[in-house]
Amino acid sequence: MSKKLFYPCAGKDWKDAFHYFQKEIDEFIFCDLQYKFNFKNLKNFEINHEEFERVSFFIKPFVKIHDHTSNIENIKLIPAEYIQFIKYKTSNIRKKIIFKIQSGQDCLDQFNENEIYVFFHRGDSTGEGGSDLHFFSDKRNSSGAAENLYSKLIKKLAPISYVVSDGSNNEIIERQNLNLKNMTDEQISNEIIGKKNFTYQNFQWFCVKRLNDRYGPTLVWKVVRDNPFKIDKPL
Ligand SMILES: C[S@@+](CC[C@H](N)C(=O)[O-])C[C@H]1O[C@@H](n2cnc3c(N)ncnc32)[C@H](O)[C@@H]1O
């Protein structure tokens, strides 16, 4: 099965996600409401890694379908997508990279169960410029446009998956009171990476790695579903 990385509200930070997971991941899905695909800015989505060459690319336009037959209010939106296939210059291993102009919550809905191998989300907030999306709780966001994201996300995560987070908009990490901002790099490396683990609902979280900082240290958590039949009340 192809391994997928999903980064909602990615902005320009998709480059770091690609950089860190280019070897392991087959398909990258980045979405952001503010992406624009026109000839002037398509170069912003180019993969400038020496070892890759582009095989093909195409753009699917944004489509609005009005279903007049049943209800004039019934509008289906198909998001714009910029899809690229690249390959290693030295082998035939291909990668698919999809950029979507779509909300993070709608994009999440489109994944099948157990399909997301890496869930990457950081640098976000509830303030101005932030998405106010909470993928690690079921609470409704302030505009009312998204809720129950955690319950949806856990169904889409592979039984063994990786969650990358700098703690922003992440209520599960918040509950651990890790106090990372007051720790030195050495303390984080000695006490957190490879050491910190906890269980939340029927998932075990193990801290396996640190990436570059965003709003705080970005940690990679291996998230293992232990007993699919045990369901506690979410946050
Ligand atoms: C604070 S920026 C963070 C961008 C990126 N994660 C980073 O670390 O640089 C938040 C981004 O979320 C996007 N955004 C806001 N609401 C969104 C939504 N509902 N769905 C998808 N993207 C959204 C904004 O366009 C913006 O690019």
Side-chain angles (χ1 to χ4, degrees):
M1 200 166 106
S2 82
K3 287 184 176 164
K4 297 189 182 189
L5 176 149
F6 175 39
Y7 187 173
C9 316
K12 293 178 183 162
D13 194 41
W14 67 267
K15 288 187 183 184
D16 281 356
F18 178 80
H19 168 75
Y20 283 116
F21 290 94
Q22 52 169 302
K23 289 206 169 69
E24 225 177 334
I25 291 294
D26 306 300
E27 186 171 324
F28 294 82
I29 300 99
F30 302 110
C31 80
D32 198 294
L33 286 173
Q34 284 182 31
Y35 283 160
K36 285 189 181 64
F37 308 141
N38 55 45
F39 286 112
K40 211 166 141 200
N41 71 7
L42 275 190
K43 63 178 182 311
N44 296 337
F45 300 97
E46 267 170 29
I47 313 293
N48 293 319
H49 282 236
E50 282 207 338
E51 64 265 50
F52 288 106
E53 62 189 15
R54 192 151 76 169
V55 178
S56 62
F57 71 96
F58 58 98
I59 296 175
K60 287 192 197 166
F62 179 80
V63 181
K64 217 174 180 184
I65 300 170
H66 296 253
D67 178 2
H68 295 288
T69 51
S70 50
N71 179 356
I72 197 117
E73 301 288 309
N74 198 355
I75 297 173
K76 193 176 173 200
L77 300 175
I78 299 177
E81 293 181 12
Y82 178 33
I83 300 167
Q84 295 182 61
F85 290 93
I86 57 172
K87 71 177 269 305
Y88 283 105
K89 288 177 182 164
T90 52
S91 80
N92 274 327
I93 297 173
R94 287 180 179 220
K95 310 277 169 187
K96 184 176 183 181
I97 299 141
I98 308 175
F99 297 95
K100 294 189 181 198
I101 305 174
Q102 190 179 28
S103 73
Q105 62 272 37
D106 287 355
C107 200
L108 176 66
D109 281 340
Q110 290 174 345
F111 284 91
N112 294 323
E113 289 191 4
N114 302 325
E115 205 179 23
I116 300 173
Y117 183 65
V118 177
F119 180 78
F120 200 115
H121 183 239
R122 66 176 184 171
D124 211 348
S125 71
T126 49
E128 205 179 325
S131 71
D132 190 25
L133 293 183
H134 300 267
F135 291 97
F136 296 94
S137 106
D138 273 349
K139 74 178 178 195
R140 184 186 284 225
N141 71 345
S142 53
S143 73
E147 62 182 341
N148 299 325
L149 294 183
Y150 178 67
S151 292
K152 292 178 184 172
L153 176 65
I154 55 174
K155 289 188 186 137
K156 314 281 178 168
L157 289 179
I160 297 176
S161 63
Y162 292 86
V163 168
V164 180
S165 171
D166 63 350
S168 56
N169 290 17
N170 189 325
E171 287 77 1
I172 294 179
I173 301 290
E174 226 169 71
R175 280 163 66 119
Q176 303 311 310
N177 294 321
L178 296 180
N179 203 16
L180 296 173
K181 283 188 179 142
N182 295 326
M183 289 172 100
T184 62
D185 288 347
E186 203 180 1
Q187 282 172 315
I188 293 175
S189 150
N190 291 337
E191 297 166 29
I192 305 287
I193 314 299
K195 306 268 181 357
K196 179 71 189 167
N197 65 78
F198 62 89
T199 301
Y200 180 71
Q201 296 194 6
N202 52 337
F203 287 84
Q204 289 163 14
W205 291 57
F206 305 91
C207 184
V208 291
K209 210 172 168 177
R210 179 177 180 180
L211 307 183
N212 62 345
D213 292 4
R214 200 70 184 158
Y215 287 171
T218 302
L219 301 179
V220 182
W221 297 86
K222 183 174 181 177
V223 177
V224 180
R225 191 184 298 158
D226 59 2
N227 177 356
F229 301 107
K230 185 180 148 210
I231 298 198
D232 296 335
K233 217 176 161 333
L235 287 171

